[in-house]
Structures are given as C-alpha cells and as structure tokens.
Amino acid sequence: MQQTARTVVIHEHGGPEVLKIGDRPLGDPGPGEVRIRHRACGLNFIDVYQRTGLYPMDLPHALGMEAAGLIEAVGEGVTHLKPGQRAAYAAAPAGAYCEARVMPAAQVCPLSEGISFDAAAAMMLKGMTVEYLFHRTTPLKRGDTVLFHAAAGGVGLIACQWAKSEGITLIGTAGTDEKCSLAQFNGAAHCINYRTENFAERVAEITGGKGVDVVMDSIGADTFNGSLDCLKPLGMMISFGNASGPVPLMDIGILGKKGSLKITRPTLFTHIADPSVCQAMARRLFGKVEGGEVKIHIDQRFPLDQVAEAHRVLEARQTTGSTVLEP
C-alpha cells in the first residue's frame, strides 16, 4: 500500500482560506534525494508571498520552505545524510508544510543533538538569512552601526543577538513598545517604535546626524524611502523582503543625491544554491546557537491543520519571534 503524508497545498493564489490540507503520495527518494519525516515546520513571510501570488508558483503547489525531522531514506549518491539521522533545512522547492516529503538532499543539513527540532525548524531560513546579511552581503566590522526593521520578528531577534555577539551596534524598529523592549532585551542598542516616532529622524538623533553604515529592510514599501534617509554617505541599503508590499519604482539617480549610496536585493536561495556554501552557513548558525550567542524564540505554535490562522496572525504582524507548525 502506498504511503501518504498530510500536506498543505494551494490550488489558487489568495488569502489564508486557499490553504488546503490533504493526503499526498509519499514515495521513495531517487538519486540525490532524501525522504524526511518532519517533527516541526517553520513559518515565514515568503510563504505568504507565494500564497498570495507576489512570488508566483505553478499550481497546485505545496507550501513551506523550512522544517526539521528524521531522515527515513536516502537516494543514490547522497553521502552527507543517512537513515535515522536528525536533519533540518531551508530549501526549495516549497513543500515543507507536511508530515513527510521526498526532496533534494543538497540543502538538507545534519542537525546535532544539541538543537531541538522546534528550534531548528524555527531558525533555518531566518538564521541563515541573518548569516548572509552579516557575513556575505557587504563587509561589516566591530563598531559598525546597522538599522534593522522588524527587530522583534523571527529574523529580527536573531539579528539583534547576532549583532551584539559581533560588536555591531543594531538600531531596531518595531510596532509597539513591548516589541521594542523585546528587541533591546535581545541585544538591540536602541529600538524605535515606528508607530509613535519618525524612525529616520530618530536614527539621525541616535547617530548624531551621521547615519548608519547599513540598513537591513524586510518591510519594503512602507519603510524604503525612510531607510535611504538613514544611511551615511557610501552606506549600503539591503532590501530583503516585502512585508508591506513591493518597493516602488525609483530613480536610481537618488542614490547619488543622497550620498553615493549602494543598494542590493539579495535572497537566501541564491546563497544556498551552492551546497557547500549552504552547509557552511548552517554550521555557522548552529555554532551561534550551541555556543549560547543566539537563542531561538518560538513564541507561537499551531497544529498543521490551523495553518490558515497562523498565516492570518503573521500577516497582521501580531507575532513576535518565530512560529512553528506541528505536523
């Protein structure tokens, strides 16, 4: 009898109501593949972008980009994983919202006993995003100053701790005083409530009018122009998300007028396309967590069959830290 696995699939783009759960066939892994049985699945804004069609997908398609669990079987040519081994991943193609799946093995990473399945599922995409932001996008050194939007979210809380561990001054933004306090507790030197203060003006005050070396902005439309105003001359704008909608079209000449600024729009999946780079990024992240420099905050948990509600809460910006789905 063929195995099946409960899986979240969309048949059309739209709101949380398009998320449907059903049984899908679960076969054996082919060459270069593994079959993994999930213990926890992560929730990320990229899942929302794919669900709504901002990032179009061929439909029907399963959703979810990160999870952790046990390897059940490996295909021909897979040497870094074996049956029974703990593993975690953030990887394409989407399909992590499920009990188990067959998937390419290259970006699946061995997981040590020192990290729980929940923590691993909550941190792979977010934590490796922070790794590339701080180590692969533009040179950062001790003493530099960074503005980080959504500092109390899943990526943000990791970034606050990461910055503190490397002597980088992080100025965060968040939407409530409580979220600002959380970001500062986790290492942000300052945190600005963007609902009650003009964050660009406040950054100017904090930096004595100098501005910051780097802005890391996952919000998009609502913050983009203000973020540019926060940079010092020759500063770097890293736009890595669209939580409030896509960044509007811009005249590139504005970068020169504002001080010869630089701008980039990176993605995690470009960085992890090389399997050796992916594994190295995961090892650095695991080292931060096992060494106690970064703690993973899981502030929301939902059963897999409540995935639509999880999406609603995430989109309403009512979450802090990371959210885990329980298969």
Side-chain angles (χ1 to χ4, degrees):
M1 183 176 177
Q2 187 179 46
Q3 293 188 70
T4 61
R6 292 173 68 243
T7 304
V8 177
V9 177
I10 61 169
H11 294 265
E12 60 183 328
H13 294 299
E17 69 280 357
V18 304
L19 297 162
K20 305 298 182 183
I21 301 178
D23 290 331
R24 296 191 106 192
L26 183 65
D28 293 322
E33 295 181 330
V34 295
R35 186 173 70 235
I36 182 169
R37 175 84 40 189
H38 292 153
R39 295 293 182 85
C41 311
L43 178 73
N44 297 282
F45 251 102
I46 189 173
D47 309 343
V48 173
Y49 303 154
Q50 291 173 340
R51 190 204 76 220
T52 61
L54 179 62
Y55 294 175
M57 309 171 74
D58 293 331
L59 301 179
H61 208 297
L63 283 192
M65 303 300 295
E66 68 177 343
L70 292 170
I71 300 297
E72 287 190 335
V74 301
E76 181 182 352
V78 176
T79 59
H80 69 292
L81 297 164
K82 60 184 179 182
Q85 189 168 8
R86 304 171 86 249
Y89 65 87
Y97 290 178
C98 63
E99 294 175 322
R101 68 185 294 201
V102 172
M103 64 179 295
Q107 280 74 36
V108 180
C109 304
L111 179 66
S112 69
E113 294 288 342
I115 299 175
S116 71
F117 289 120
D118 278 7
M123 76 181 185
M124 291 299 290
L125 191 147
K126 303 171 189 69
M128 289 201 293
T129 294
V130 173
E131 200 274 354
Y132 85 68
L133 288 173
F134 278 82
H135 292 277
R136 301 174 191 273
T137 307
T138 190
L140 280 169
K141 62 184 184 301
R142 182 173 294 274
D144 283 347
T145 301
V146 168
L147 174 65
F148 199 102
H149 291 294
V155 179
L157 290 183
I158 295 173
C160 290
Q161 297 172 81
W162 202 293
K164 184 176 181 180
S165 76
E166 299 191 352
I168 293 166
T169 299
L170 187 145
I171 302 170
T173 71
T176 67
D177 290 342
E178 291 76 16
K179 287 185 176 183
C180 284
S181 295
L182 181 60
Q184 288 184 276
F185 181 80
N186 280 274
H190 309 271
C191 195
I192 302 161
N193 184 337
Y194 61 80
R195 296 190 189 278
T196 60
E197 295 186 278
N198 181 305
F199 72 83
E201 292 177 359
R202 186 75 182 100
V203 167
E205 292 174 6
I206 292 169
T207 62
K210 294 179 180 179
V212 299
D213 298 283
V214 178
V215 175
M216 300 177 180
D217 189 340
S218 64
I219 302 300
D222 288 353
T223 53
F224 182 78
N225 290 326
S227 291
L228 291 179
D229 291 337
C230 292
L231 285 166
K232 63 175 56 172
L234 305 178
M236 169 65 84
M237 170 70 174
I238 306 174
S239 176
F240 70 102
N242 319 278
S244 66
V247 172
L249 295 177
M250 64 172 289
D251 173 8
I252 195 170
I254 198 71
L255 300 178
K257 295 176 183 177
K258 289 182 177 292
S260 300
L261 305 181
K262 294 164 282 188
I263 186 168
T264 184
R265 200 343 181 153
T267 72
L268 172 63
F269 300 100
T270 306
H271 288 84
I272 65 173
D274 182 327
S276 64
V277 172
C278 177
Q279 299 293 332
M281 291 172 68
R283 287 193 296 271
R284 193 198 296 267
L285 171 60
F286 295 163
K288 288 281 188 184
V289 174
E290 291 185 295
E293 294 176 296
V294 170
K295 179 181 178 182
I296 306 303
H297 294 263
I298 302 172
D299 296 334
Q300 299 81 212
R301 287 181 168 83
F302 293 87
L304 189 62
D305 60 8
Q306 292 181 18
V307 63
E309 179 61 19
H311 272 235
R312 291 187 187 99
V313 172
L314 179 66
E315 286 183 276
R317 301 191 197 181
Q318 295 174 350
T319 64
T320 57
S322 297
T323 300
V324 166
L325 301 172
E326 299 169 338

